[in-house]
Amino acid sequence: MHTLHGRALPVASGAKLARPELTVLALVGDGDGLGIGAGHLPHTIRRNPDITCVLFDNAIYGLTKGQTSPMTPQHQITRSHPMGNPDPKMNPVLLALSYGAGYVARGFAGAPDEMQRLFEEGIRHKGFSFIHIMSPCVTFDKVNYLYDNLRSWVRLLPAGYDSTNLDRAFEIARGVELFTGLIYSKPSLEQGAR
Amino acid sequence: MTYKRSLTIEICGSSGDRSLAAGEILIKTLSDIGYHVISFDAYPAEIRGFGKTVAHMRAGREIMLSLSSKVDILVSLNDRYAIEQLKNLNDEGVVIFDNRQRDITYEVLQQDEGQTDKHHLGPGVYTEEEGWKEITSEQVSIAGHLGPGMYLYGVPLYQLSQKTTNESRSRNIVVLGSVAALFNIPKNEFIGNLTAKLGKKDKSVDSVVAAFEEGYNYVRENVVKLDPYSFERLSVDRKGYKLMDGNKAVAQAAIDAGCKLYAGYPITPATKIMEVLFAELPKHGGAVVQTEDEISAIGHVTGAGFAGVRAMTATSGPGFCLMTEFIGYNVMSETPVVIVDSQRGGPATGLPTKTEQSDLNHALFGGNGDTPRIVVAPTSVKECYQWTAEAFYLAEKYQMPVIVLIDLFLSLSVRNVQLDPLPDYKKGSNKLPSQEDMKLYLRQKITDDGVSPRSLPGQENGYQVVSGLEQNEYGTPVYDEYSHTVMTQKRFRKIKTALDHDVPSPERIGQKGRVKLGVISWGSTAGAVADAVDSVLKEGKSVAMLKLIVINPLKEKEIQAFLDDCEKVLVPELNYQGQFANWLSIHFQQKFLRFNKVATRPITHDEIEAEINRLLKE
């Protein structure tokens, strides 16, 4: 079901509540998930339905041909901001952690094997799981999320990283470096999905 | 009951006098002894502070669907407020009051930074703006304000309350005793309802019953009854009847119709639907979720509808506005949803605690594009039940949003109703794909009736994509003239099919054949019209009414036949523009006489009656 722009999370939650035996995913972008429908994110996390939200972030409004999105970096020149985007971008991983999501991960479209592993884990996670995927818009973004750029920016999480340590997860989320992988996973006893 | 067709009773006090609790017990008792009842209480609009609270009810031998403008019996627990109510009292009305008012020391609670101090003050009145103001004994007693034909009965409510329960707060119970004695209401039923209501909370049930008895005996021993009103027991069986308001009826209908998901956001006056369902729906295998806003609520319901489960949300005007985009989405994606809109005064936040019928335009036209939807408007509490249940059936069968328009009056008005059980065939109405359909499943298959077989998520070979985009039969987004034309026609064809198969002919009430005046009405106002028409028919007047419950689609042939029978046609409604008259004007070449009010209260039967008589004289 391709829902209204921004409303994937409520619709997915409703489907899951109605038919708990279904596996339900909500696939959103940075424009609808962090812009028009951002208000649904904290509350979906709070209610903790057993659904997986994948946020495909291309840092631009691609369908409408290149306007500033909530993930466009400050000062970047776009169609809607020829003098540069005046506002700083959002941090979806930090948001999800702050609201208390039980499974938070980040992936990169240039690393499909890792993405697949994160999706599988996220779907298996009992409760709400949130996966931030950095996914270049090759048509309308010529400066920021280029495959080459992202390849040089992303870092694998350090060896021995403990994904159940929430404080460490916040450090990773707040840092300037773009770590990919499972950033936080609530110990299974505390997952408490409904 | 003698003298009149029905009697209207008010119990007036300040919040804290528990006049509403007394009203609840009285209405239950009157219902138990065989009367039809209808109540509509008035609360102070502000949550904090003192304010006038009025339990308002009408009781009679015949079924009633509306309120009267005038009050017959006014019970005062606070004379200052009750004096304001006198303007509504009939010339031969009854007043019951505390005849030892001047002895009262009021207790006022003043809250100061979380600390509660009790200040004992003389007779007076407290308002937010002016604080405590003493008033003279003349101002405080209702006795000096009565008209010459009115009947006044004094009972020392405060003294009797103190004597039996050691507090002044049982005055509401004492006065119920007096009411029982004055109007010959059987005592045992009263005490039964009294203990049932207070039993759980009050440990001192005995003293409360004693308070009731004191009020009863005082009247028997000291008061000479002069008025002609009484409520002796009627020999009718009201066993299958339940006391409920429209909100309760909507919630009950959702449960009985097999609703398995309710999502909502608190909003006056629809909140109680969610509260009832939070308590009841899980017992029937359903889920209830309070969402972050109305968009999320209708989103949840849409997801459940897509998953093949009956689901509902209820709201009022402002929340209904937020849901509008999803109305179009449900039309386009052909997803069944039930939306209940309990209308209140608007626009914007408007008058949250006042009733109105002004969301009709929005219900009929709200949203972008050509968006067919079914709109139904129950006219009574009984119909709130019947038509909410019907809405689930229609939404599922025709895969589209069904809007149930009620209003604050229906939502909050308590009546004794007998509910007809829902027929079984209405409990499941999904058009599922046949084996033939599954060979090459087409979600948006073009059919004669407009309805495509619907596979449900998880069904083998039933893969589908639905979206808010225009689509071809496969569900693939397409933007060409042909596809948009046939798909728009298909969506509207469903409405036509619903009209032919599932919309009953509107009910005609009153004189048959040609009439001088016809009245077409909808929603709760139709109740006032039915009562008024009933009354003028007894006077032999040439009047008929047509009651429309399904507002879209309209039974045009039947309505035209009615119009052809009428010399004049009146359309009364509780909005400024005449939204329903305008809607009819789109469909019929007829001059509709309008009677529009934005009265902040329901239209009464006597107002309609006066308008009918005026038009008949013209």
Side-chain angles (χ1 to χ4, degrees), chain B residues 526-548:
Chain B
V529 175
D531 284 357
V533 166
D534 193 40
S535 171
V536 296
L537 282 175
K538 283 178 183 150
E539 297 163 11
K541 303 217 164 113
S542 173
V543 174
M545 89 171 273
L546 197 67
K547 183 174 81 175
L548 289 191

Side-chain angles (χ1 to χ4, degrees), chain A residues 1-2 11 13-14 19 40 47, chain B residues 292 299-300 303 307 329 457 466-467:
Chain A
M1 177 173 238
H2 181 179
V11 174
S13 302
R19 299 265 307 272
H40 301 306
R47 287 188 289 260
Chain B
E292 59 275 18
H300 275 75
Y329 178 79
V466 298
S467 78

